[in-house]
Amino acid sequence: MGVLVNKNSKVIVQGFTGSEGTFHATQMIEYGTKVVGGVTPGKGGSMHLDRPVFNTVYEAVQNTGADVSIIFVPAPFAADAVMEAADAGIKVIVCITEGIPVQDMVVAKEFVKSRGGRLIGPNCPGVITAGEAKVGIMPGFVFKPGRIGIVSKSGTLTYEAADQLVKAGLGVSTAIGIGGDPVIGTSTKEAVELLMNDPDTDAIVMIGEIGGTYEADAARWIKANGNKKPVVGFIAGQTAPKGRTMGHAGAIVGGKDDTAQAKMEIMRQNGLYVVESPAEIGKTMASVLKGVNV
Amino acid sequence: MNLHEYQGKEILKSFGIRIQEGIVAENVEEALEAAKELKLKYKSDFAVIKAQVHAGGRGKGGGIKVAKNLEEVKEKSGQIIGMQLITPQTGPKGKKVRKVLVAQDVYYPGPSQPKEFYMSILLDRAKSRNTIVYTTEGGMDIEEVAEKHPEKIWKEEIDPKVGLRPFQARKIAFNLGLKDEAFKEMVQFVDKLYRAYVQSDASLMEINPVLKTSDDKIIAVDAKVTIDDNALYRHPDIEKMRDLTEENPIDVEAKEAGLNYVKLEGNIGCMVNGAGLAMATMDLIKLSGGEPANFLDVGGTANAERVEKAFKIILKDPNVKAILVNIFGGIVRCDRVAQGIVDAYNNIGNIPVPIIIRLQGTNAVEAKKLIDSSGLKVYSAIEFYEVAKILNEIVKN
C-alpha cells in the first residue's frame, strides 16, 4: 500500500491542459495512476486526455471524488492553486512548481494546515508508491516495488538512490520528494514518520542537503522514537561554500549548524547509517539489512 | 539578490522609515560635492564615508571612516574608493570598492545619550514563519552576540494568518528599554520595517545598528537587504538595482544562458542535471581526491545547445583539468543526451581536458555505446561508483 498515494487514490491535475501538465499526466496515466480529471480555469466542460476538465478544484472534487492533486501551475499562481486545492478538501496536495516566492508559501502552508490537508513540495519530484501510483515527474521504471522508503529533497538524486537500491536487489515502497525550497509543506521528519508507521516499509533512505535543520530534526526524532527501522542517510553539499545558493533555493549554508558535515554528525549520533559517498547508498542499505556492520 | 546599503535604505525610506541620509559617490570629487550638500542640509562638518560592496564587516576592513571636515572627506574617500576591501565575509582576495556612500553624522550631541540596537527580519525555516530578531547589543557582530550573550537576543515570531500585531511591536520597544517619544518611534519603526520586508519580498532585512538618536528619533544607520530572486518578477524597480560588478562574470554569463552555475576553487569541472545530484557529484569528486571547480545544474532537458553552453562556461575557468558529466536521464532519454554531448563536443572542436561521461537511466546502455563509438577521447560510465574509480585514476596522474 505504501503511504500518501496508492492504487485507489483519485488524482486530479491542476494546470492539466498546459504542456507540463499534459506531458506528465500522460506519463502518470501510463504508469497506472488513477487520474480522474483536471483543472484549468476557463476550460471547464471540455475533455483532455479522455478526462473531464473543470474550472475549479471544488467542482472537480464534487464530480470525481478526487482526494489527491498534483500542481503544474506557473510559479506566480502556484501558491494560490495550493490553497484552492486545500480549500476544496483535497487531502494530499503535491506541488511540482519551482520558483514560488517564499512569502507566498509562508501563507499557503499555514492555510493548508488550517484546512487539514497535507502539502508535499513545492519544487519537488512528487510521490510514488511503486507499482501502484505515481503522482510526480519521476521516471517510473526506476522505482521497482519493494520495501524501502525514500525521503529526499532532491529529484535526480532520488532516482539515483532508487536505482542503486534496485541494483542492490532491493525495491521501493514509497518515495517522497519533499522539495528543495526554504518553505515546504512536509518536513523530512514528517515524511520519515509516515514511513516509520508504514507496515509495508522495512527501512528508509533519507537524503538531505545543506541548509535548514530538517535533517537534524528528523534524526533526533528517529532516535527519540526508538530507531524502529534502519535509516541510511546522505547529505549533499559537503563541498558547498558558505553563503551561496546551490541550485535549490533552500540549499544554502548560513551558519555552522546547517553544513553537510554538521548534519551528518547529528545523524550518526542518533543512530542513522550515514554514507559519505552518494555512490554507496544502495550497497550500504543492502549491508545494513543483512546485519553487516557498516 | 543582494543589495547595497544605499539601495536597501532607499527601499526603507519608501516605506516611511527614517534612515541615515547619504549620497552615493564614485570618485573623490563626487564625494566632496556630496559632503558639501550634506553640510548645508544638516549643519554638521562630520560625514561618514562608507564603502558600498556586498559584504558585511566593512568597518573592520577599513571600509567605513568618519571624516571631521571636507579635507578629511577628500583624504578618506580617496583611500576607500578603488581599494581592495577585505572583510571576514569577502574571502582573502577582498572586493574592489567602486562607490561609497557619503552619509550624514547621526551621532550628534543632544538632550539624551544615543543608543544602538540590532534588528533583523528573516524567515525561520524550521517554523516556516517570518521572525523579528533584535537585541540591545547594537553595532556589534550579531554572531558574536549570539555566542557570548544568547540571553540578550530576542525573537518575535509572526503568525502569517494575522501578520505583525501592535502588541508585538510594543513588546519589542519595551524589551529594548525605550520610553516616551523613542518608544513611540520604535513601535512605528518595527511596523514599517515589517511591511517593507513583506511587501518587497525580502528574505533578509538586517539593520545594524538601529539608532536612537540624542533627540529620541529611531534611525536605520545601515541596511543589509536580500530580495527573494523568485519574487523579482513583481518588483521590476528592485530588479533594476542588480549590480553585476558584484557578481562573478562567469556566474552572470551562465545565468543568461539559463544554467545554474557557481564557481568554486577546485580543478575538476562538472555538469549535472538536478541540484541535489550536482552537489552529490561535487562531493564524489572530493572523495575521489579531486576538488570541484564548480556547481552546474544543466537542467532537466540537457539538450545539445545547453550542453554546449555548459562546456564553454566550465572551460572558461583555467583551473579546470578534467570535466565530469553526470546525467540521470529519467524522462529525458540518455541516448538523446549522449547525442547532444557528441554534437556539442564536435561544435566546440578539441576540448583539451579529459572528460568523463556518466549517463544513467532511460537507454543508458545505448547511450554508452553511442559515446564509445563516437571516436571522442572520453571516458564513459553508467554506475556512480565507476565514476569514482575513473576520477581517482585521473587525479593520480
Side-chain angles (χ1 to χ4, degrees), chain A residues 179-262:
Chain A
D181 271 3
V183 175
I184 49 178
T186 297
S187 66
T188 310
K189 177 243 152 191
E190 289 167 323
V192 166
E193 187 175 357
L194 289 171
L195 293 167
M196 279 286 179
N197 295 329
D198 174 32
D200 294 324
T201 298
D202 292 340
I204 299 165
V205 171
M206 182 178 116
I207 297 169
E209 290 175 358
I210 52 168
T213 58
Y214 277 171
E215 296 85 357
D217 297 344
R220 293 191 186 101
W221 179 87
I222 289 165
K223 187 172 185 187
N225 224 262
N227 296 80
K228 284 184 192 136
K229 295 174 186 177
V231 180
V232 171
F234 173 73
I235 303 289
Q238 296 166 67
T239 47
K242 192 182 169 187
R244 297 295 306 267
T245 305
M246 308 300 277
H248 286 152
I252 177 167
V253 170
K256 59 183 189 317
D257 298 329
D258 60 356
T259 63
Q261 287 77 0

Side-chain angles (χ1 to χ4, degrees), chain A residues 264-287:
Chain A
M264 285 173 155
E265 187 49 38
I266 292 169
M267 285 156 63
R268 275 190 207 101
Q269 284 166 5
N270 286 284
L272 278 71
Y273 301 90
V274 174
V275 291
E276 300 266 336
S277 162
E280 313 259 300
I281 297 169
K283 216 173 86 184
T284 305
M285 181 56 90
S287 306

Side-chain angles (χ1 to χ4, degrees), chain B residues 251-312:
Chain B
D251 291 14
V252 175
E253 196 185 326
K255 196 170 206 167
E256 279 162 9
L259 301 166
N260 216 324
Y261 172 92
V262 177
K263 183 174 168 357
L264 303 168
E265 302 302 318
N267 50 9
I268 312 278
C270 57
M271 179 193 317
V272 188
N273 68 333
L277 190 59
M279 280 187 274
T281 303
M282 286 159 46
D283 298 344
L284 191 82
I285 289 171
K286 173 96 176 178
L287 286 168
S288 307
E291 288 285 343
N294 65 278
F295 167 93
L296 195 156
D297 177 3
V298 71
T301 50
N303 59 25
E305 195 193 347
R306 291 174 75 87
V307 169
E308 187 175 332
K309 276 180 183 159
F311 268 129
K312 283 183 175 162

Side-chain angles (χ1 to χ4, degrees), chain A residues 23 27 76 99-104 106 109-110 137 139 141 154 156-157 159-160 163 167 183 209 211-214 234 236-239 241 244 246-248 250-251 276-279, chain B residues 123 125-126 128-130 160-161 197 201-202 228 230-231 233-234 251 260 262 264 273-277 279-280 282-284 286-287 292 295 328 330-331 358 360-362 383-385:
Chain A
F23 178 79
Q27 299 268 324
I100 304 176
V102 171
Q103 293 301 333
D104 292 5
V106 168
K109 181 175 175 173
E110 194 72 24
I137 58 171
F141 75 94
S154 144
T156 43
L157 193 49
Y159 317 158
E160 176 72 45
D163 185 62
K167 285 185 177 137
V183 175
E209 290 175 358
T213 58
Y214 277 171
F234 173 73
Q238 296 166 67
T239 47
R244 297 295 306 267
M246 308 300 277
H248 286 152
E276 300 266 336
S277 162
Chain B
L123 176 79
R125 288 180 58 172
S128 297
R129 288 183 167 192
N130 297 312
K161 283 195 292 295
Y197 170 84
D201 278 293
D228 179 0
N230 290 337
Y233 72 90
R234 53 190 179 204
D251 291 14
N260 216 324
V262 177
L264 303 168
N273 68 333
L277 190 59
M279 280 187 274
M282 286 159 46
D283 298 344
L284 191 82
K286 173 96 176 178
L287 286 168
F295 167 93
F328 199 106
I331 303 296
R358 186 258 179 159
Q360 171 64 289
T362 314
E383 301 302 332
F384 216 175
Y385 66 84

Side-chain angles (χ1 to χ4, degrees), chain B residues 50-65:
Chain B
K50 306 169 96 173
Q52 299 297 292
V53 293
H54 289 178
R58 290 170 298 166
K60 284 180 193 160
I64 297 181
K65 288 181 173 166

Side-chain angles (χ1 to χ4, degrees), chain B residues 1 24 30 49 88 103 123 170 229-230 233 260 267 280 293 302 352 380:
Chain B
M1 179 177 96
V24 177
E30 284 180 14
I49 317 293
L123 176 79
R170 288 200 301 274
D229 283 313
N230 290 337
Y233 72 90
N260 216 324
N267 50 9
S380 67

